[in-house]
Amino acid sequence: EPGAPGSSVRERTLAAALTVAQVREIHNLQVLEVGDRLEVSLHVKLPGDLSLDHAHAIAEEVEKAILSEVREVGSVQTHLEPLKEAVAAEEIAVDAAAVELAVIEETGTAPRDLRFVRTDEGIVAFLTLGLGSEGSLADAHSRASAVEERIRRAVPAIADVVVHTEP
């Protein structure tokens, strides 16, 4: 809920933005300290077939909802993006050795699961990485990002890498 006690500015901002019915997704939410006030910027995904006029009206609703519910925020900037619909894809067989080697070099262990899907934008590698339960989410994200980068360098033909982390 937007006004939930104990919620951070970020959480309340996200909750307020999502109260606008047409909003499908929010990402790249930033809370910035500018002088003595807070400013928020966020990306709002809406159906791509909306007119710019209608999309802008929704963005204004989002901005008003945030300013109304999160009193500390003095300014809101929205960036509008079209929501991508489902993309046609097919699972494919790919020589996984180079990807597995990149994961082992970065983490010391092979991925728990590895598969490849071809989309119109290229090959996507999906992998599951076991990291143990002692680290933080921030540590896991950092390790996953390092794995993604190593795979991109090792196998440039892969268009995207999605790393699922598990304890």
Side-chain angles (χ1 to χ4, degrees):
E1 294 298 312
S7 297
S8 70
V9 168
R10 182 180 181 78
E11 291 169 326
R12 290 182 288 134
T13 298
L14 178 60
L18 291 173
T19 63
V20 178
Q22 298 92 335
V23 172
R24 300 293 185 264
E25 181 182 319
I26 301 288
H27 65 275
N28 287 11
L29 170 61
Q30 293 185 17
V31 178
L32 308 167
E33 289 185 39
V34 180
D36 61 348
R37 68 185 189 140
L38 295 179
E39 294 187 17
V40 168
S41 68
L42 66 155
H43 293 207
V44 178
K45 286 200 172 188
L46 301 169
D49 60 351
L50 289 179
S51 70
L52 178 57
D53 196 38
H54 188 188
H56 181 261
I58 294 168
E60 286 184 332
E61 283 184 59
V62 168
E63 293 166 7
K64 287 177 187 171
I66 292 168
L67 292 170
S68 171
E69 294 294 332
V70 189
R71 301 279 185 203
E72 306 95 296
V73 172
S75 174
V76 179
Q77 290 291 316
T78 54
H79 170 78
L80 297 173
E81 294 181 10
L83 182 67
K84 287 186 178 180
E85 298 300 325
V87 176
E90 65 177 319
E91 195 158 348
I92 59 172
V94 171
D95 181 5
V99 172
E100 288 176 349
L101 180 60
V103 174
I104 291 168
E105 288 173 346
E106 189 63 43
T107 67
T109 61
R112 290 183 178 169
D113 187 43
L114 177 61
R115 66 188 184 89
F116 301 92
V117 174
R118 181 184 315 280
T119 70
D120 290 341
E121 296 173 3
I123 297 171
V124 180
F126 292 97
L127 67 98
T128 300
L129 189 60
L131 297 177
S133 59
E134 58 280 350
S136 69
L137 174 59
D139 293 339
H141 184 264
S142 177
R143 303 243 354 246
S145 295
V147 166
E148 289 175 28
E149 289 306 312
R150 187 174 288 253
I151 290 170
R152 289 178 205 282
R153 285 193 310 269
V155 189
I158 292 178
D160 198 9
V161 180
V162 179
V163 178
H164 171 76
T165 54
E166 296 180 341

